[in-house]
Every structure is written in C-alpha cells, then in structure tokens.
C-alpha cells in the first residue's frame, strides 16, 4: 500500500496569488492540487495546513473516492468555498498520484478521450466599442473561435472586466478592496449596443459570449436576454445571483438566450434545481472550487441527463494545476462544451511547468502521466504572497451591490 507521508501547502505570487497542495507518498510519488480561492487564499491554506493535512498522513493514496467522502461527509461543517476548494486540492493531487503510479494521463483513467481537443474561449474587452472590436480581432488572430466580449459603459469610470488602460486584473493589490461605482440602467442601455456591434463586426461564425456578473435582478436579466436574442450569443453568463434559484424561471419565460451560471458554486446541491429544471444551459463550476475531479464529474453526469453542458470556470486565478485537471476531465466528459482560457501571468510559467497546450482555438491536457503539471518550489519561494482583493461594487447612491 502506497500511503501518504506528507501534505504540504505552497503559497506563491508569481504575478498573482496561488495556493498549491503537495502530497507525497511512501513510494516517493508527488501529486499536486490547486487550492487557490481568489481574495481568500490564506483561509484555504490554513484549512489545509491546520485541519486537513494531519488527517491525510497514513491514508492509502489510491483510495481517492474514500478520501473525498471522508473529508466531506466526515466533517460536521460541510460545503462552502473554503472547504470545497481544500477538498478539491486533495482530490486533484490524488488523481495526479494515481496517474503517475499507473503511468497514464488522468483522462485515460476517466474512461479515455471522447474528443480529440477541447474548444476554448478567451476574453476580449475595450472601454470604447471600437477598442472592443480591435480586441476581438486580436484574439481571433490567435486562433480563438469563441470570445467573451465586455465593454465600458458610458458615464462610468470602472466596469467589471474592463479598464481604460486595456489591462485586465480584477484583484487589486493592497490591504483593502477597491470600490467601484455601478449603474445598472446605463449598462442595460449600452450592453445590447456593444454586443450588436461585436456580432456585426465578427460575423455569424464566431461564438460570442457575454458576462453580466451577477449585477441584475431577474426582470432586468430577462430584459437583457430578450434584447440580446438577435445577437445570437453562445451564452449570457451570471445574469443574476443564483442563490435564489427559482428566479431563473422568470428569466426563462422571457428569453431563449442560453444561460451559463455557477462559477461561485461549489457543490452538486447548488446546481441540482438549476439542472433538473433546465433553468441553465451551461455549468460553470471550477474543478478546484467544486471539490475536484471526483465531484465535478458527478455534477457533469447529472447535467448530462438534463441536456445541460459542462463549461468549467478558467480565469487567471485558477492555477495551471487546476487548468490541467479541468482539461483531463473535459477530454473524457461527453457533455463538456467549452473551456474558459484567460491564460496566466508570464511569471507563473516559472513556477508551474505544464504539459497542457493551446493551439488554434483549442486546448489539450497532454499525455504526461497524472495531471501533467509540476510546481517548481524553489521558483515559488521567490514570489511571496501579497494581499489582494476583488473590488466591491456600489450603486450611485453608495449602497453595495453584487460583485
């Protein structure tokens, strides 16, 4: 029996903060998992280091599902992003070990490939519509066939996903989050105009996506979806906070635009109603935040029954380890649709060496045994953690609204 002898947490900030879990076995096999939770990184690091790592020592590294059940069902306090990200890190690291032990890439252990490559989408943004169109052209020149388009809003100085400088990094360095002013009505007037311009410019073949980022009420979301129907979006993402899941019924009554939701969800229970009532079309959970490969695989299986597709969250704060895990799952999952791919800071390449690759609008996990991502701990030590927070959004009257 190959038992777990060590479980170590590595916190590093090569361009942004990442938390990685290193599990070592008695046979000397090392597995890596991603435990990054943007803006709450140290909470997960502590959860792992102080509460989970001691429980792993001596356990059979091959018993992935039993370890998942032990960490989830065996704890009185279940669910939540901190807990599920910690469990996800353990799960991915154990799958990495399993693949290395068997000498196979993880996707082969999940039943083998059901596709040759994974369609990916990236982000294009511009403060002015003309700048957005130029950004779309730049991404298409890199081979992308699917693009999330975001633009500035007249009358506002800051907008989620867009900056006047052209750079994009939501998490600002510092001891407190930045605060942005938001105007929903201005956004609702402008978004259909910007998306219509993007469609006219790009033509009918480009898969065009847009993210409202939880800022709308159900009737506002219905209004936006109806206005965007002529644009033929691939999806409209996070139109409203989905904790109250019944509100999605109202949106469905008013628009046929496909809906994608779930990047802030962490368990199958948060998706259950959305999937079984077909209130969404795409599941957006990240492999690292939703309990790892084992749990996201179960969410995908439930979704397949209801003709809902998997499209994992993949921003720059999901580390290359999590990206590799998502790609292995995607290559072996029949109802996988598309993978978000923002890329990572250049410095991250010095810490995370990965076998997965991008080419011509598609991703592939590679055929290295395990997940195919290794962490250079010496390089990681050169980039200490720096406090960083996602911004807080306030309406014009000063009241806080959803991020």
């Amino acid at each position: 029996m190959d038992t777990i002898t060590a479980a170590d947490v590595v916190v590093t900030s090569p361009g942004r903060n990442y938390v990685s879990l290193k599990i070592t076995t008695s046979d000397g096999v090392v597995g890596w998992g991603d435990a990054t939770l943007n803006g709450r990184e140290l909470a997960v690091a502590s959860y792992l280091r102080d509460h989970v790592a001691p429980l792993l020592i001596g356990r059979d590294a091959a018993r992935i599902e039993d370890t998942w059940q032990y960490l989830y069902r065996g704890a009185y306090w279940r669910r939540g992003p901190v807990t599920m990200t910690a469990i996800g890190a353990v799960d991915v690291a154990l799958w990495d070990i399993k693949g290395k032990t068997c000498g196979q890439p993880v996707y082969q252990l999940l039943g083998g490939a059901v596709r040759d490559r994974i369609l990916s989408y990236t982000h294009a943004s511009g403060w002015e519509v003309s700048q957005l169109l130029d950004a779309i052209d730049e991404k298409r020149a890199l081979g992308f066939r699917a693009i999330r388009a975001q633009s500035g809003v007249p009358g506002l100085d800051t907008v989620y996903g867009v900056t006047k400088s052209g750079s994009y990094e939501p998490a600002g360095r510092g001891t407190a989050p930045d605060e942005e002013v938001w105007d929903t009505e201005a956004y609702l007037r402008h978004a259909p105009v910007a998306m219509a311009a993007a469609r006219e410019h790009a033509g009918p073949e480009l898969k065009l996506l847009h993210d409202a980022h939880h800022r709308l009420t159900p009737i506002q979301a219905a209004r936006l979806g109806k206005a965007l129907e002529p644009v033929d979006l691939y999806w409209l993402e996070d139109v409203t906070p989905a904790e109250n899941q019944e509100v999605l019924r109202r949106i469905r009554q008013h628009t046929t635009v496909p809906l994608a939701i779930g990047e802030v969800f962490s368990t199958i229970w948060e998706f259950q109603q959305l999937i079984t009532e077909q209130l969404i079309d795409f599941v957006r959970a990240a492999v690292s935040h939703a309990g790892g490969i084992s749990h996201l695989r179960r969410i995908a299986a439930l979704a397949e029954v209801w003709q809902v597709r998997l499209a994992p969250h993949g921003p720059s704060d999901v580390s290359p380890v999590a990206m590799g895990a998502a790609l292995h799952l995607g290559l072996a999952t029949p109802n996988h649709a598309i993978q978000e791919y923002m890329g990572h800071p250049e410095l991250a390449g010095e810490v995370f060496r990965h076998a997965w690759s991008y080419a011509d609008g598609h991703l592939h996990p590679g055929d290295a045994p395990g997940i195919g991502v290794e962490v250079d701990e010496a390089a990681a030590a050169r980039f200490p953690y720096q406090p960083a927070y996602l911004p807080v959004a306030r309406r014009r009257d000063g009241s806080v609204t959803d991020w």
Side-chain angles (χ1 to χ4, degrees):
M1 182 173 69
D2 192 12
T3 59
I4 296 172
T5 57
D8 301 297
V9 178
V10 176
V11 180
T12 184
S13 188
R16 65 168 312 119
N17 293 321
Y18 296 105
V19 180
S20 302
L21 177 66
K22 176 187 179 183
I23 294 180
T24 306
T25 74
S26 54
D27 286 346
V29 182
V30 171
W32 289 99
D34 177 36
T36 308
L37 186 63
N38 195 350
R40 296 293 185 268
E41 298 92 350
L42 298 186
V44 186
S46 174
Y47 191 103
L48 282 168
R49 187 182 294 116
D50 299 329
H51 301 289
V52 173
L55 305 179
L56 298 177
I57 307 305
R59 294 187 62 84
D60 184 351
R63 297 182 64 172
I64 300 174
E65 183 61 33
D66 183 67
T67 298
W68 196 98
Q69 297 291 333
Y70 175 76
L71 293 177
Y72 181 83
R73 295 182 183 275
Y76 184 74
W77 303 107
R78 300 182 183 182
R79 303 166 65 176
V82 173
T83 294
M84 296 308 293
T85 300
I87 293 175
V90 174
D91 186 78
V92 169
L94 292 181
W95 276 107
D96 192 23
I97 289 169
K98 177 80 77 172
K100 290 172 178 175
T101 301
C102 296
Q104 293 287 333
V106 166
Y107 76 82
Q108 293 287 16
L109 307 182
L110 299 176
V114 297
R115 55 181 51 82
D116 299 325
R117 53 185 184 166
I118 295 170
L119 180 66
S120 66
Y121 78 89
T122 193
H123 298 189
S125 63
W127 192 257
E128 304 292 340
V129 172
S130 60
Q131 295 170 322
L132 170 61
L133 304 186
D134 289 343
I136 290 173
D137 289 342
E138 292 172 4
K139 301 303 183 182
R140 295 185 82 178
L142 296 174
F144 286 98
R145 291 98 182 277
I147 295 173
R148 194 195 80 168
Q150 310 289 135
S151 77
V153 175
L156 297 182
D157 294 323
T158 53
V159 173
Y160 157 75
V162 190
T163 62
K164 292 183 177 179
S165 67
S167 62
Y168 173 74
E169 176 46 70
R173 302 285 184 173
T175 57
D178 294 332
E179 297 192 10
E180 302 178 348
V181 176
W182 176 250
D183 187 329
T184 299
E185 290 302 321
Y187 165 75
L188 288 174
R189 288 191 296 269
H190 183 67
V193 175
M195 291 304 102
R199 173 57 73 201
E200 182 178 5
H201 177 79
E205 297 302 320
L206 179 72
K207 289 179 171 57
L208 193 62
L209 302 77
H210 181 68
D211 189 354
H213 220 263
H214 314 110
R215 297 290 173 88
L216 308 178
T217 66
I219 200 63
Q220 289 169 341
R223 171 183 162 190
L224 179 62
K226 195 169 184 178
L228 289 174
E229 283 183 6
V231 177
D232 188 25
L233 288 181
Y234 184 75
W235 76 41
L236 177 60
E237 183 178 353
D238 289 340
V239 287
T240 189
E243 289 94 333
N244 181 3
Q245 301 189 354
E246 292 186 5
V247 303
L248 271 297
R249 294 175 183 166
R250 172 169 292 186
I251 301 170
R252 285 295 211 195
Q253 290 170 356
H254 291 280
T255 181
T256 59
V257 66
L259 300 178
I261 281 179
E263 68 184 54
V264 298
F265 290 171
S266 55
T267 71
I268 196 170
W269 308 110
E270 291 156 300
F271 283 106
Q272 183 180 12
Q273 182 178 5
L274 296 178
I275 290 171
T276 59
E277 295 188 19
Q278 294 183 313
L279 299 178
I280 60 173
D281 301 280
F282 298 93
V283 165
R284 294 281 292 122
V287 66
S288 50
H289 302 150
I293 290 172
S294 297
H295 193 57
L296 188 54
R297 194 182 188 196
R298 286 195 281 274
I299 296 172
L302 175 65
E304 184 180 13
V305 175
W306 298 94
Q307 297 177 302
V308 175
R309 304 182 74 187
L310 181 65
H313 191 41
S316 55
D317 54 273
V318 169
S319 93
V321 176
M323 178 61 69
L327 295 178
H328 282 281
L329 180 62
L331 203 69
T333 300
N335 60 321
H336 186 279
I338 196 168
Q339 174 64 53
E340 181 178 20
Y341 177 49
M342 280 185 63
H344 298 90
E346 186 175 349
L347 289 175
E350 298 182 22
V351 176
F352 300 94
R353 312 295 170 83
H354 56 82
W356 56 260
S357 60
Y358 166 82
D360 193 29
H362 293 79
L363 292 157
H364 193 281
D367 289 305
I371 297 297
V373 183
E374 300 296 330
V375 179
D376 184 329
E377 294 180 78
R382 299 202 309 268
F383 305 104
Y385 168 82
Q386 299 181 46
Y389 291 91
L390 294 169
V392 171
R394 292 185 181 272
R395 303 180 185 92
R396 289 192 182 275
D397 65 2
S399 59
V400 174
T401 189
D402 294 291
W403 157 243

